Coordinates of all heavy atoms in Angstrom, one line a residue:
F267 N -47.8 -16.8 3.4 CA -48.4 -16.0 4.4 C -49.2 -14.9 3.8 O -50.3 -14.6 4.3 CB -47.3 -15.5 5.3 CG -47.8 -14.7 6.5 CD1 -48.1 -15.4 7.7 CD2 -48.2 -13.4 6.4 CE1 -48.6 -14.7 8.8 CE2 -48.7 -12.7 7.5 CZ -48.9 -13.4 8.7
R268 N -48.7 -14.3 2.8 CA -49.4 -13.2 2.2 C -50.8 -13.7 1.6 O -51.8 -12.9 1.7 CB -48.6 -12.6 1.0 CG -49.2 -11.3 0.4 CD -49.8 -11.7 -1.0 NE -50.4 -10.6 -1.6 CZ -51.7 -10.2 -1.5 NH1 -52.5 -10.9 -0.7 NH2 -52.2 -9.2 -2.2
S269 N -50.8 -14.9 1.1 CA -52.1 -15.4 0.5 C -53.1 -15.6 1.6 O -54.3 -15.6 1.3 CB -51.8 -16.7 -0.2 OG -51.4 -17.7 0.6
Y270 N -52.7 -15.8 2.9 CA -53.6 -16.0 4.0 C -53.8 -14.8 4.9 O -54.5 -14.8 5.9 CB -53.2 -17.2 4.8 CG -53.1 -18.5 4.0 CD1 -52.1 -19.4 4.3 CD2 -53.9 -18.8 3.0 CE1 -51.9 -20.6 3.6 CE2 -53.8 -20.0 2.3 CZ -52.8 -20.9 2.6 OH -52.7 -22.0 1.9
S271 N -53.0 -13.7 4.6 CA -52.9 -12.6 5.6 C -54.2 -11.9 5.9 O -54.3 -11.4 7.0 CB -51.8 -11.6 5.1 OG -52.3 -11.0 3.9
S272 N -55.1 -12.0 5.0 CA -56.4 -11.3 5.3 C -57.4 -12.2 6.0 O -58.5 -11.7 6.3 CB -57.0 -10.7 4.0 OG -57.2 -11.8 3.1
A273 N -57.1 -13.4 6.2 CA -58.0 -14.4 6.8 C -58.1 -14.1 8.3 O -57.1 -13.8 8.9 CB -57.6 -15.8 6.5
N274 N -59.3 -14.3 8.8 CA -59.4 -14.2 10.3 C -59.1 -15.5 11.0 O -58.5 -15.5 12.1 CB -60.9 -13.9 10.6 CG -61.3 -12.5 10.2 OD1 -60.5 -11.6 10.3 ND2 -62.5 -12.3 9.7
N275 N -59.3 -16.6 10.3 CA -59.0 -17.9 10.8 C -58.5 -18.8 9.7 O -58.8 -18.6 8.5 CB -60.3 -18.6 11.4 CG -60.8 -17.9 12.6 OD1 -60.1 -17.9 13.6 ND2 -62.0 -17.3 12.4
L276 N -57.6 -19.7 10.0 CA -57.0 -20.6 9.0 C -57.6 -22.0 9.2 O -57.7 -22.5 10.4 CB -55.5 -20.7 9.2 CG -54.8 -19.3 9.0 CD1 -53.3 -19.6 9.2 CD2 -55.0 -18.7 7.6
N277 N -57.8 -22.7 8.1 CA -58.1 -24.2 8.2 C -56.9 -25.0 8.5 O -55.7 -24.5 8.5 CB -58.9 -24.7 7.0 CG -58.0 -24.6 5.7 OD1 -56.8 -24.8 5.7 ND2 -58.7 -24.2 4.6
Q278 N -57.0 -26.2 8.8 CA -55.9 -27.1 9.2 C -54.8 -27.1 8.1 O -53.6 -27.1 8.4 CB -56.4 -28.5 9.5 CG -55.3 -29.4 10.0 CD -54.7 -28.9 11.3 OE1 -55.4 -28.3 12.1 NE2 -53.4 -29.1 11.5
S279 N -55.2 -27.2 6.8 CA -54.3 -27.3 5.7 C -53.4 -26.0 5.7 O -52.2 -26.0 5.5 CB -55.0 -27.5 4.4 OG -54.1 -27.4 3.3
Q280 N -54.1 -24.9 5.8 CA -53.4 -23.6 5.7 C -52.4 -23.4 6.9 O -51.3 -23.0 6.8 CB -54.4 -22.4 5.7 CG -55.3 -22.4 4.5 CD -56.4 -21.4 4.6 OE1 -56.9 -21.2 5.7 NE2 -56.9 -20.9 3.5
R281 N -52.9 -23.8 8.1 CA -52.0 -23.8 9.3 C -50.8 -24.6 9.1 O -49.6 -24.3 9.4 CB -52.8 -24.2 10.5 CG -53.9 -23.3 10.9 CD -54.7 -23.8 12.1 NE -53.9 -23.8 13.3 CZ -53.9 -22.8 14.1 NH1 -54.5 -21.6 13.9 NH2 -53.2 -22.9 15.3
Q282 N -51.0 -25.8 8.5 CA -49.9 -26.7 8.3 C -48.8 -26.1 7.3 O -47.6 -26.3 7.5 CB -50.4 -28.1 7.7 CG -49.3 -29.1 7.6 CD -48.6 -29.4 8.9 OE1 -49.3 -29.6 9.9 NE2 -47.3 -29.5 8.9
Q283 N -49.3 -25.5 6.3 CA -48.4 -24.8 5.3 C -47.5 -23.8 6.0 O -46.3 -23.7 5.7 CB -49.2 -24.2 4.2 CG -49.7 -25.2 3.1 CD -50.4 -24.4 2.0 OE1 -51.4 -23.8 2.2 NE2 -49.8 -24.5 0.8
L284 N -48.1 -23.0 6.9 CA -47.3 -22.0 7.5 C -46.4 -22.5 8.6 O -45.4 -21.9 9.0 CB -48.2 -20.9 8.1 CG -49.0 -20.0 7.1 CD1 -49.9 -19.0 7.9 CD2 -48.0 -19.3 6.3
Q285 N -46.7 -23.7 9.1 CA -45.9 -24.4 10.1 C -44.8 -25.2 9.5 O -43.9 -25.7 10.2 CB -46.8 -25.2 11.0 CG -47.6 -24.4 12.0 CD -48.5 -25.3 12.8 OE1 -49.3 -26.1 12.3 NE2 -48.4 -25.2 14.1
D286 N -44.8 -25.3 8.2 CA -43.8 -26.1 7.5 C -42.5 -25.3 7.3 O -42.3 -24.7 6.3 CB -44.3 -26.6 6.2 CG -43.3 -27.5 5.4 OD1 -42.3 -28.0 6.1 OD2 -43.5 -27.7 4.2
I287 N -41.7 -25.1 8.4 CA -40.6 -24.2 8.4 C -39.3 -24.9 8.6 O -38.3 -24.2 8.9 CB -40.8 -23.1 9.4 CG1 -40.9 -23.7 10.8 CG2 -42.0 -22.3 9.1 CD1 -40.9 -22.7 11.9
E288 N -39.2 -26.2 8.5 CA -38.0 -26.9 8.8 C -36.8 -26.5 7.8 O -35.7 -26.6 8.2 CB -38.2 -28.4 8.6 CG -39.1 -29.0 9.8 CD -39.2 -30.5 9.7 OE1 -38.5 -31.1 8.8 OE2 -39.9 -31.1 10.5
T289 N -37.2 -26.1 6.6 CA -36.1 -25.7 5.7 C -35.8 -24.2 5.7 O -35.0 -23.7 5.0 CB -36.6 -26.1 4.2 OG1 -37.8 -25.4 3.9 CG2 -36.8 -27.6 4.1
I290 N -36.5 -23.5 6.6 CA -36.2 -22.0 6.7 C -34.9 -21.8 7.5 O -34.7 -22.4 8.6 CB -37.4 -21.3 7.4 CG1 -38.7 -21.5 6.7 CG2 -37.0 -19.8 7.6 CD1 -38.7 -20.9 5.3
A291 N -34.0 -21.1 6.9 CA -32.7 -20.8 7.6 C -32.9 -20.1 8.9 O -33.8 -19.3 9.1 CB -31.8 -20.1 6.6
A292 N -31.9 -20.3 9.8 CA -32.0 -19.7 11.1 C -32.1 -18.1 11.1 O -32.7 -17.5 11.9 CB -30.8 -20.1 12.0
D293 N -31.4 -17.5 10.1 CA -31.4 -16.1 10.0 C -32.8 -15.5 9.8 O -33.1 -14.3 10.1 CB -30.6 -15.6 8.9 CG -29.1 -15.6 9.2 OD1 -28.8 -15.8 10.4 OD2 -28.3 -15.5 8.3
Y294 N -33.8 -16.3 9.3 CA -35.1 -15.8 9.0 C -36.2 -16.2 10.1 O -37.3 -15.8 10.0 CB -35.6 -16.4 7.7 CG -34.7 -16.0 6.5 CD1 -33.9 -17.0 5.8 CD2 -34.6 -14.7 6.1 CE1 -33.1 -16.6 4.8 CE2 -33.8 -14.3 5.0 CZ -33.0 -15.3 4.4 OH -32.2 -14.9 3.3
I295 N -35.8 -17.1 11.0 CA -36.8 -17.6 12.0 C -37.5 -16.5 12.8 O -38.7 -16.6 13.0 CB -36.1 -18.6 12.9 CG1 -35.7 -19.9 12.2 CG2 -37.0 -18.9 14.1 CD1 -36.9 -20.6 11.6
E296 N -36.7 -15.5 13.2 CA -37.4 -14.4 14.0 C -38.5 -13.7 13.2 O -39.5 -13.3 13.7 CB -36.3 -13.4 14.4 CG -35.7 -12.6 13.3 CD -34.7 -11.5 13.8 OE1 -35.2 -10.6 14.5 OE2 -33.5 -11.6 13.5
F297 N -38.3 -13.6 11.8 CA -39.3 -13.0 11.0 C -40.5 -13.9 10.9 O -41.7 -13.4 10.9 CB -38.8 -12.7 9.6 CG -37.6 -11.7 9.6 CD1 -36.4 -12.1 8.9 CD2 -37.6 -10.6 10.4 CE1 -35.3 -11.2 8.9 CE2 -36.5 -9.7 10.4 CZ -35.3 -10.1 9.7
V298 N -40.3 -15.2 10.8 CA -41.4 -16.2 10.7 C -42.2 -16.1 12.0 O -43.4 -16.1 12.0 CB -40.8 -17.6 10.5 CG1 -41.9 -18.6 10.8 CG2 -40.2 -17.7 9.1
M299 N -41.5 -16.0 13.2 CA -42.2 -16.0 14.5 C -43.0 -14.7 14.6 O -44.2 -14.7 15.1 CB -41.2 -16.1 15.6 CG -40.5 -17.4 15.7 SD -39.2 -17.4 17.0 CE -40.2 -17.2 18.5
L300 N -42.4 -13.6 14.1 CA -43.1 -12.3 14.3 C -44.4 -12.3 13.5 O -45.5 -11.9 14.0 CB -42.2 -11.2 13.7 CG -42.7 -9.7 13.8 CD1 -41.6 -8.8 14.1 CD2 -43.4 -9.3 12.5

Side-chain angles (χ1 to χ4, degrees):
F267 186 91
R268 186 256 180 267
S269 67
Y270 303 143
S271 61
S272 59
N274 292 322
N275 295 293
L276 301 180
N277 61 39
Q278 186 59 37
S279 174
Q280 292 169 333
R281 294 174 69 86
Q282 185 58 47
Q283 281 185 292
L284 291 178
Q285 288 178 302
D286 184 14
I287 60 172
E288 289 185 4
T289 60
I290 301 296
D293 282 350
Y294 301 112
I295 289 298
E296 64 176 298
F297 302 131
V298 168
M299 292 175 65
L300 183 146

